[in-house]
Structures are given as structure tokens and as C-alpha cells.
Amino acid sequence: MRMDHGIITRVQRANDIVEIISEHVNLVRKGREMAGLCPFHDDHKPSMYVNPDKQIFKCFACGAGGDVIKFVQMREGLSFIRAVERLAERAGIKINFSTQPRDEKTSDVDPGDVEKVNRWALTHWRKNLANSAGGKICRDYIAQRQIPEKTAGEFSLGFAPEKWDDILTAARQKKIPDSLLLASGLIVKNEQGRLYDKFRNRLMFPIIDSSQRVIGFGGRTLGDDPAKYMNSPATVIFDKSNSVYALDKARHEIVSTGTAVIVEGYTDVIMAHRFECKNVVATLGTSFTAGHARLLRRFAKDIVLIFDSDIAGATAADRALEICLAEKIDIRLASVPQGKDPCDYVLAAGTEAFKRLIQNATDVMQYRWERLSEKLGKSDNLIDRRRATEDFLKTVSMAMSSGTVDAITQGLIINRLSRILQMRPEVIRKEIERRGASANRISINTVENQKVAKVATGADFGAKAQREIIEAVLNEPRFFEIAGKRVKADDFEDPILRQIWVLLSRTIRPGAEFSLSDFLARIESTDVSDVVVELSDNGQDIETLRKRLNGAMNALAEYKGKKPKISASKTIDDERLRKITSIKTKPDRRNPGFMPI
């Protein structure tokens, strides 16, 4: 049995490593990392560090390291597939298996290839928009929406013309396979097997994640298509329930202010940014989801959800209440006055008014209670009041019974409810506990600490050179093109180093971004992941790494030429070891494998 790599990546990204590890270990912040007692050995001082940005962990005592999947594997003694299944169930992701043997070639699409063809499509649609004649209809619409040309350029807006094969024909001229276009969602196939463009006669909005990857697109019709807005379908790198629009533009402002503002539309975001409100993002045609909360919680302490002041908006508020409690995040709600959307409001009222709207957003629980009271007409009837209170406490209890809200957070919530409902805290606590008996949420189980042995990959002359080569390429993947011409998999005597080299050769693509967490998602062995994390990200500059790589490759060539003699004597050539290590700079505060960012 095997699992599609795209699903594994989705599962990995849907489970925040800090949240998962916090269910087992008490983590405290140490700069931009989190630290705690390692559960994989008898730890008496915090020696395990978790990097939220890179979504990896590393213990500097026992050597355990990897991504969220490897942590669950080691913590619960599970196989790789079972760990992915557990995390998929936790995130509500359905997984499918294939019975194709692992050693056969598969049709799995590489996420890097999908991103690359998406970036090509972005450039193609940008050229269409700039076309003097063909792009006029789209440029006129952009001007009508009062989006300046400079702003349109900053957000890389494009134009998909009213043709069935614009992207398809252009891609074939570039020798881009139809299968890759299908996997990227740029074209679709009908029941008769005909291929045609998915996006036609639309203003195109590229969806770019926090790592600057073009993961998908949104298209706004320029005609009378009943589907006013259309998004890319789910792919190996795109899931609209776990993605937001303009995170690439808003991330730094979100981190700076501590607040992420969520609106519904692409143009709402663009106009907010034009008026210097740069911490605004948008959901992609879906209501606010737990995936959105987990994504934004990495950057923001507080979320403000701006929604329509209608029935749909009230429903969104109810859902947001459950999510914010279950995901341990503060969410406030605001509605735009006079029924306008944020785009029109910021155009009419200006920057300061929009910022006041955000600042005056209402606590989600306060809002929920006010809406219930309003719905009942502010009745003095005790039965009506009780019904409203029961309904409200039921919603709160459902979220709190998930098991993710700690005792301190529960106390804060109950005290807040006590003020809102004018009831004693002990009464509210009993009512919530009574309703919270049936918890349905899947959680990661806590088991006895698992022991992890340090992985040794050799300390002799040849092993040292081989480790140096792997370390240089992991830290600067562009070097693989150079190293791959001189070094082959068979040159690595240690099976772990050999496996890492094979995976690197399958993963690194010219021009494609290399992500350590994505690379770790391809590794099933916890021993291999330990070594990868140990050797990765040592913080050295590119020229130092280049010198180390060249020195290691020269040393490896010399080792291979004299290998029988060295093997027979079983001695370590100290002089050759010094040649490799002489240009290696002093390691960081704890270990070369985990540097501050």
C-alpha cells in the first residue's frame, strides 16, 4: 500500500507542529523557537527545540528530529502510514491508498512542478493583460473597480481571454505536458475526453502562499457567466480550506501588528492594501475554517473577521465561535456599515475609518449573545431567555469539549461568560461540563516516552567527506547540480546518507523552491529524518558552503582512490580530516543543525 505524496503534504501542513507537540510537552518560547523537555530520552533540562516557521523539531541531546509526522511516529511508536492516517483524521482530511508497488514508476505529480507551471501561467496571463488590444476589456474592468495600474502590477493581476485553448496551446508550444496542466487545474477534461482551459474571459488573481509559491488562482468573470468567481481545484499544493488570498503580501504586517483581518473578496483585499491596511487577507469562497485558523495562528495573535450583516454573516459568526474556542485563538467580528462591502467602504470612508472598524470589532462571544438576544426581540419571558442561554451555552460547550482548551483558557472563557450572561461562574461551569460529556474530536494520544538512539553515520575520513557533501547540498540545494556531476549514490557507504542523496536527486529541480518540511514529508524513516535535521540549516554563507562542498568532493575522490589501503589499516587520516574541517566555521549556540532565523 502507498499514499499519494500530495496527500501527505496536505496532512503535514494541516497539523501545526507546535500544537501537536504541545499536547505532549510543555513548550516555552525561546526567541523565535519553542523549547521543552524531550520525550524521547530522560531529559532534565529543555533540550528539544521546535521551529514554528520551518515546522520542524530537534533534540540536541538525543538527536531526534523531523517534521510533525516524524514526531507522531516516534511518540506513539507508529509506522509512517499510520502516523499520516492519525494526523489526517485529526485534520478532517480523507486519504486514499494505492496498491501500486513502491518500486514502480507512478503518476504522482511533483509539487515543485505544479508550482512551476502555475508561475508560468501567471506570467502568461500578465502578458495577456498588457496586450494592447486583447487585454483592453480586462484593463477597463480593473479601472472601473478603481484599482490603479501600479496596484494591479503589485498583485500580479492577469487576463484569461475568452478562448477554449489559450493556456493549452501556449503550454504545448513550451512542451509542457497536458498531464501537468491537468494536475495543476489549469485545464479540464470533459466526458468526451476533450481538453480545454478552465479559466476563460476572467480577471485572474494569483494565490501565493507565505513561501512565495504560486499555489493556485482565482478568476472573476468579465461576462455573464453565472459562476462569478472561480478558484483552482484542489491540487497537491492547493486546498482553499487551508489557504488565504494575499498572505504573501500581508504576512509581515500581520506579524508586526499581531492581527490578521479576514474579508471575503479579492478586490476587498486589494483595496485595503491600497489604502495602507496591509494586514488584510481573504478566504477563497469558503467560510472561515479551522484550517484558516491554524494557518493564521502562526503569524497572528488576534483575528478580525469582517462579514456581511445578514443571515449568512450571522451563521459565519456562529461557526467562528466554535472554531476560535477549539483552536485556541481570539477572534473578533466586525460588519461594514450600511451593507457595503469592504472595498466600497474603504473607498468611500478612507483609511482611518476602516482602521477604526477593525479596532472596534466585537468579541465573538459577546456578538453571539447579542445576536441571540436580538433574535428573541429582547424578550422578558423567562422561557425565551432560558432558551437563548441554553442555545448559547450549547455552542460554547461543543467547542470547549474538544479537549484542546486548557484550564486557564477555560477559566477566562467562563469569567467572560459570567459578565455577559450575569450568572455566577460556578453555575456556568456546571452547565458547560454537563453538555460537554460527549466529545467527538480526534486527538493525539499520550503514551509512555519512546526512547530514541542517536544515529551514527561513521567518523572516518570517507564518512566525514560524505556527510559534508550532504550537509552542503541540504543548506544550499542549488549546489546539487554541481555535486550531482561528480557524486553518485553509490559513493555513499552509509545507507542513510545514500538514501538522503537519492531523495535529493528526486526532489531538487532547477528553478523550483526547496522546502525542508516538504522534503521531510517524503521520508518515512525516523532515523533518516534525524540525520536530515541534524545536517540542515547551519546558517553559513553560500561561499563558505561552496568551499566546504568542493573540499569534501576532492577528499571523497581521494578517499575512493585509496580506499583499499585505508580499509586495511582501519586508521583515520587526520591530515585529510583537517582538510575538510579547516574551513568549517564555529557552530551555532547549540548545534549546526538548527539555527535561529
Side-chain angles (χ1 to χ4, degrees):
M1 302 294 287
R2 62 180 306 278
M3 190 181 294
D4 182 83
H5 177 65
I7 292 294
I8 296 172
T9 303
R10 280 184 60 197
V11 170
Q12 181 200 60
R13 291 176 181 169
N15 287 275
D16 181 66
I17 195 167
V18 173
E19 179 182 345
I20 297 298
I21 293 181
S22 293
E23 294 180 6
H24 305 265
V25 177
N26 181 33
L27 295 177
V28 295
R29 184 163 292 280
K30 297 284 187 180
R32 297 188 66 178
E33 298 172 0
M34 309 289 288
L37 297 175
C38 178
F40 305 121
H41 74 284
D42 188 15
D43 199 8
H44 299 287
K45 64 178 182 179
S47 57
M48 184 177 73
Y49 282 73
V50 184
N51 189 313
D53 289 341
K54 297 185 177 181
Q55 291 290 295
I56 61 175
F57 75 95
K58 170 68 179 178
C59 176
F60 294 96
C62 72
D67 61 345
V68 66
I69 300 173
K70 304 308 177 301
F71 180 86
V72 173
Q73 276 185 264
M74 291 187 281
R75 185 72 176 98
E76 300 190 34
L78 300 175
S79 67
F80 178 80
I81 293 296
R82 293 305 177 195
V84 174
E85 284 184 306
R86 178 68 60 81
L87 290 169
E89 187 178 13
R90 186 181 191 279
I93 296 174
K94 185 178 180 180
I95 57 178
N96 296 310
F97 290 94
S98 168
T99 56
Q100 186 176 9
R102 289 182 179 273
D103 57 352
E104 291 184 11
K105 291 185 177 180
T106 75
S107 60
D108 290 355
V109 177
D110 190 290
D113 291 339
V114 173
E115 197 279 334
K116 191 173 181 180
V117 76
N118 281 347
R119 191 167 294 277
W120 167 82
L122 180 154
T123 302
H124 177 78
W125 282 324
R126 288 284 295 152
K127 290 178 180 177
N128 284 348
L129 180 63
N131 183 279
S132 57
K136 186 176 187 304
I137 182 176
C138 192
R139 293 196 302 273
D140 289 346
Y141 175 79
I142 292 173
Q144 177 190 334
R145 296 304 303 265
Q146 300 186 49
I147 300 174
E149 184 177 341
K150 178 182 177 182
T151 304
E154 290 172 351
F155 282 83
S156 301
L157 302 187
F159 172 51
E162 193 171 8
K163 294 174 62 178
W164 290 93
D165 61 352
D166 177 65
I167 276 285
L168 184 61
T169 300
R172 285 174 173 173
Q173 291 173 352
K174 293 288 185 180
K175 308 298 184 183
I176 298 174
D178 292 349
S179 59
L180 182 56
L181 296 175
L182 284 167
S184 305
L186 296 172
I187 64 172
V188 293
K189 181 186 292 187
N190 63 15
E191 293 180 356
Q192 289 73 40
R194 177 193 171 195
L195 300 174
Y196 57 92
D197 290 4
K198 178 176 178 63
F199 298 100
R200 304 180 305 281
N201 194 29
R202 290 181 181 271
L203 168 61
M204 300 303 300
F205 302 86
I207 303 166
I208 304 173
D209 67 8
S210 60
S211 300
Q212 302 297 319
R213 299 184 309 160
V214 183
I215 58 176
F217 295 92
R220 202 278 184 196
T221 183
L222 299 172
D224 55 3
D225 192 321
K228 188 175 179 181
Y229 283 92
M230 179 185 293
N231 290 321
S232 295
T235 70
V236 294
I237 62 173
F238 178 65
D239 178 357
K240 65 182 180 180
S241 295
N242 293 286
S243 307
V244 295
Y245 177 63
L247 184 58
D248 60 312
K249 300 286 189 301
R251 174 183 176 180
H252 294 299
E253 189 71 12
I254 290 173
V255 172
S256 175
T257 62
T259 300
V261 180
I262 303 176
V263 294
E264 290 185 330
Y266 296 104
T267 54
D268 295 332
V269 171
I270 292 173
M271 201 57 66
H273 281 247
R274 179 192 165 191
F275 281 80
E276 299 302 318
C277 298
K278 297 182 180 295
N279 59 338
V280 180
V281 297
T283 53
L284 303 170
T286 67
S287 59
F288 184 73
T289 68
H292 296 141
R294 286 190 290 267
L295 172 66
L296 294 173
R297 189 177 56 194
R298 299 180 186 178
F299 312 106
K301 299 176 183 177
D302 181 31
I303 289 177
V304 174
L305 183 63
I306 299 180
F307 60 95
D308 295 335
S309 51
D310 55 14
I311 295 176
T315 303
D318 290 344
R319 176 63 179 149
L321 170 60
E322 297 178 18
I323 291 171
C324 76
L325 289 174
E327 298 298 333
K328 299 182 182 179
I329 193 166
D330 287 332
I331 298 183
R332 295 181 291 131
L333 305 174
S335 59
V336 180
Q338 295 142 2
K340 294 182 178 180
D341 61 30
C343 178
D344 294 335
Y345 180 73
V346 73
L347 276 170
T351 302
E352 294 306 316
F354 190 72
K355 287 184 176 180
R356 281 196 301 273
L357 181 73
I358 296 169
Q359 291 169 357
N360 297 330
T362 305
D363 177 273
V364 69
M365 285 188 288
Q366 178 72 44
Y367 175 84
R368 177 75 172 94
W369 174 248
E370 290 174 355
R371 290 289 296 181
L372 281 173
S373 299
E374 181 182 342
K375 182 179 179 181
L376 294 172
K378 299 181 180 178
S379 172
D380 291 331
N381 185 293
L382 289 178
I383 295 177
D384 290 341
R385 298 282 300 177
R386 180 179 179 84
R387 186 182 305 144
T389 304
E390 288 276 346
D391 190 11
F392 185 48
L393 290 180
K394 180 181 178 181
T395 305
V396 175
S397 177
M398 286 174 59
M400 290 183 63
S401 66
S402 65
T404 62
V405 182
D406 56 41
I408 294 176
T409 306
Q410 287 189 31
L412 293 173
I413 291 171
I414 288 170
N415 287 334
R416 192 183 302 176
L417 292 178
S418 176
R419 293 193 299 271
I420 294 172
L421 301 178
Q422 298 182 356
M423 295 172 61
R424 295 194 309 275
E426 56 269 25
V427 174
I428 295 175
R429 185 181 294 277
K430 288 180 180 178
E431 288 297 313
I432 290 176
E433 289 175 351
R434 182 169 65 85
R435 290 168 175 79
S438 57
N440 296 318
R441 189 174 185 275
I442 302 296
S443 183
I444 301 298
N445 299 324
T446 300
V447 297
E448 289 295 322
N449 287 355
Q450 304 294 313
K451 301 299 181 182
V452 174
K454 277 194 173 183
V455 179
T457 55
D460 65 5
F461 172 46
K464 182 67 175 178
Q466 293 159 29
R467 283 174 62 91
E468 288 282 313
I469 293 169
I470 295 286
E471 185 172 352
V473 173
L474 279 172
N475 287 283
E476 186 47 67
R478 288 175 293 180
F479 287 164
F480 182 82
E481 184 176 359
I482 300 171
K485 296 176 181 178
R486 296 182 57 185
V487 180
K488 306 302 177 185
D490 290 343
D491 293 332
F492 295 93
E493 298 172 323
D494 182 87
I496 288 181
L497 296 179
R498 189 183 311 121
Q499 183 175 343
I500 294 173
W501 188 257
V502 170
L503 285 170
L504 286 170
S505 68
R506 294 175 179 173
T507 304
I508 296 176
R509 297 288 184 273
E513 180 183 359
F514 178 84
S515 165
L516 180 60
S517 60
D518 286 349
F519 185 65
L520 288 168
R522 297 175 178 272
I523 298 171
E524 297 190 14
S525 166
T526 56
D527 286 345
V528 176
S529 74
D530 290 346
V531 175
V532 168
V533 174
E534 178 188 351
L535 298 179
S536 65
D537 195 19
N538 64 13
Q540 293 183 338
D541 63 83
I542 188 169
E543 285 306 314
T544 301
L545 288 170
R546 191 192 308 276
K547 291 177 182 177
R548 290 180 59 195
L549 175 62
N550 288 332
M553 289 193 296
N554 291 336
L556 179 60
E558 186 177 353
Y559 170 76
K560 289 165 59 181
K562 299 182 179 182
K563 183 177 176 182
K565 181 179 179 180
I566 294 175
S567 298
S569 63
K570 297 181 184 267
T571 60
I572 298 176
D573 191 323
D574 292 333
E575 180 59 32
R576 293 188 179 91
L577 280 174
R578 281 195 294 272
K579 285 182 181 179
I580 302 172
T581 58
S582 62
I583 56 175
K584 189 169 183 177
T585 60
K586 186 178 180 180
D588 184 48
R589 47 174 169 65
R590 299 185 302 272
N591 193 321
F594 214 75
M595 298 289 289
I597 57 175

